[in-house]
């Protein structure tokens, strides 16, 4: 759901981030190893797309520190070197996957999704509850067989509610998981998104507000 792109080529970093956002992810971008470590210490990312040749702190050192911290964030190494020795070295550091430049973007998106499913909180390809069926791979949503026209953000919020399996999800957690670091916590973004999502789901209402706690499906 939430991805950090750490790539020193700013144009490439923004292209990757834009494509991942279109695929439904909340994405932050940084251009150096020290910035990557700072963001990883602040936010709970599912996946970091990590260039090995980062300035100031090398990507290998970022990976080592992330793994040593016990983080559940999955690491997708992204590098210009396709030599077998480099791939083996990256994986031996603890990376979960390895992609060489240039790459096909659909493959990168697919690999990020696959790493998300292998996280400590595994996500099945399809989620179902109360007549709602979400296909997390095809990014499609149905209620009682009726197709739902959801925005990427609405899809992400609904997915988080389904993953909670009836449990309550706080507005703070929704903001952390479905929005990027530029989201202003005081804008009411979660409330507005929830209102639109409820309208699209229709009647009878499925999302309930747990006063002072959050939302539940």
């Amino acid at each position: 759901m939430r991805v950090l792109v750490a790539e020193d080529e700013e144009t490439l970093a923004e292209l990757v981030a834009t494509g991942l956002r279109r695929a439904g992810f909340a994405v932050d971008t940084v251009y150096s190893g020290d910035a990557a470590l700072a963001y990883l210490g602040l936010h709970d990312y599912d996946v970091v797309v990590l260039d090995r040749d980062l300035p100031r702190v090398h990507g290998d050192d970022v990976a080592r520190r992330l793994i040593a911290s016990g983080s559940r964030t999955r690491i997708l190494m992204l590098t210009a070197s396709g030599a077998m020795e480099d791939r083996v070295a990256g994986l031996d550091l603890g990376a979960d996957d390895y992609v060489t430049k240039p790459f096909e973007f659909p493959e990168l998106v697919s690999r990020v999704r696959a790493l998300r499913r292998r996280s400590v909180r595994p996500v099945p390809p399809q989620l179902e509850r109360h007549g709602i069926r979400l296909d997390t791979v095809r990014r499609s949503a149905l209620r009682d067989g009726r197709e739902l026209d959801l925005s990427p953000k609405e899809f992400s919020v609904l997915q988080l509610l389904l993953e909670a399996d009836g449990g309550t999800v706080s507005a703070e957690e929704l903001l952390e998981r479905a929005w990027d670091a530029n989201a202003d916590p005081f804008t009411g973004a979660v409330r507005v998104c929830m209102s639109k999502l409820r309208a699209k789901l229709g009647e009878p209402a499925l999302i309930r507000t747990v006063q002072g706690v959050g939302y539940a499906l």
Side-chain angles (χ1 to χ4, degrees), residues 149-202:
D149 182 19
L150 303 181
S151 71
K153 198 68 66 184
E154 291 159 359
F155 189 98
S156 295
V157 168
L158 183 57
Q159 180 174 337
L160 287 165
L161 292 172
L162 283 165
E163 287 177 17
D165 198 26
T168 303
V169 184
S170 69
E172 292 77 11
E173 183 178 354
L174 289 171
L175 195 65
E176 170 70 19
R177 304 301 305 159
W179 276 262
D180 60 28
N182 296 316
D184 185 343
F186 302 106
T187 60
V190 173
R191 178 177 50 79
V192 171
C193 181
M194 197 64 70
S195 176
K196 292 179 178 178
L197 179 57
R198 280 171 163 151
K200 290 183 179 181
L201 289 175

Side-chain angles (χ1 to χ4, degrees), residues 17 26 30 40 60 64 99 140-141 145 155 171 203:
V30 293
L40 288 163
D60 289 359
R64 289 190 187 97
V99 173
S140 63
F155 189 98
E203 298 294 338

Side-chain angles (χ1 to χ4, degrees), residues 3-22 27-31 49-54 76-81 99-105 108-109:
V3 180
L4 177 65
V5 176
E7 165 63 59
D8 66 329
E9 296 179 36
E10 294 189 23
T11 300
L12 176 59
E14 295 307 324
L15 284 172
V16 170
T18 298
L20 289 172
R21 289 185 187 113
R22 287 174 179 167
V27 186
D28 297 320
T29 54
V30 293
Y31 315 114
V49 179
L50 182 64
D51 181 26
R52 288 191 74 183
D53 297 318
L54 289 173
L76 174 62
M77 284 281 194
L78 189 63
T79 181
S81 176
V99 173
T100 58
K101 305 174 191 175
F103 54 85
E104 296 292 333
F105 201 81
L108 179 66
V109 171

